[in-house]
Amino acid sequence: MKYKVGHFNPATSLACAFLGQIEYNTAMYYSLVQLVGGITGSLILWMSWFAISPVPTLLGANLPNPDTRWWEGLFVEIVMSFSFHWVLLKLYTREKEEKVPYHSARILLYDEGSESNAFFAGTALLISNIICIAVSGGSMNPARSFGPAVVAGVWKYHWMYWLGPYFGALFAAYYLQLVKEKKKEEDD
């Protein structure tokens, strides 16, 4: 069964490039468009919000819990990004080493019997977000954090919403690669 999907998270795009699922320049293009999409979405929210109420708002910008230290927020972002990306990459990466060129607007993912994959990926995202929101503000997606930060001008601890998801996604990709290599060695 074929699924046609896109990437909505620059950390996911980088992890897929690391695994050889897409080319690095494709990941770069995806990431650029994802950042523009985050800003565009935040601008639409800003225009809609101020049409209803002129009260200032953060427009969905991430801020850690006031009782959270910076390293706790970063740690939670890394761990929850790792867990989400582990599930996502485990469910959706191709076995073949074919890379998708940058001019392709979609990623083809192959997996037989994967009707429930979307449920498991969504559940992993939900659980990770519930935990993240309580501690770090719940990003796990640099583009999702960047858009509201640009529009609302909220940059406090913003670096944590870049480092955490990227490190978590790369750790998940690296670990998945190690597991696949070990399984391949055992099969030989």
Side-chain angles (χ1 to χ4, degrees):
M1 179 176 276
K2 290 184 182 181
Y3 290 92
K4 296 178 182 177
V5 300
H7 293 182
F8 299 99
N9 186 337
T12 304
S13 298
L14 181 62
C16 287
F18 179 83
L19 288 172
Q21 300 291 306
I22 60 175
E23 296 172 354
Y24 279 99
N25 63 347
T26 303
M28 181 185 68
Y29 292 132
Y30 282 4
S31 297
L32 180 63
V33 172
Q34 292 157 358
L35 293 173
V36 171
I39 294 169
T40 304
S42 294
L43 284 171
I44 292 170
L45 179 62
W46 178 74
M47 289 185 295
S48 301
W49 178 259
F50 284 106
I52 298 169
S53 172
V55 177
T57 180
L58 297 177
L59 297 170
N62 294 99
L63 285 173
N65 185 316
D67 297 331
T68 301
R69 288 174 239 148
W70 69 266
W71 59 269
E72 293 170 330
L74 180 61
F75 179 76
V76 167
E77 284 289 328
I78 291 171
V79 170
M80 291 299 103
S81 293
F82 172 88
S83 64
F84 169 65
H85 282 93
W86 170 257
V87 170
L88 189 70
L89 295 171
K90 186 77 172 138
L91 292 173
Y92 287 118
T93 54
R94 293 182 299 277
E95 295 300 321
K96 295 179 182 178
E97 291 299 321
E98 63 181 276
K99 291 185 180 181
V100 178
Y102 77 92
H103 53 78
S104 176
R106 62 190 184 278
I107 305 295
L108 299 179
L109 305 172
Y110 302 90
D111 194 7
E112 293 300 320
S114 59
E115 290 79 18
S116 61
N117 283 1
F119 172 77
F120 292 122
T123 302
L125 180 62
L126 174 68
I127 292 169
S128 297
N129 266 325
I130 288 171
I131 295 168
C132 264
I133 287 171
V135 179
S136 67
S139 174
M140 298 187 310
N141 183 340
R144 181 256 172 272
S145 296
F146 184 69
V150 168
V151 176
V154 179
W155 297 100
K156 187 174 182 181
Y157 296 111
H158 188 72
W159 58 269
M160 140 179 17
Y161 305 118
W162 286 80
L163 291 180
Y166 277 121
F167 280 128
L170 285 175
F171 290 156
Y174 179 72
Y175 187 62
L176 181 65
Q177 189 175 40
L178 288 178
V179 167
K180 284 184 176 184
E181 287 173 3
K182 185 170 182 168
K183 184 179 178 185
K184 194 174 191 179
E185 288 175 7
E186 289 175 359
D187 291 342
D188 292 339

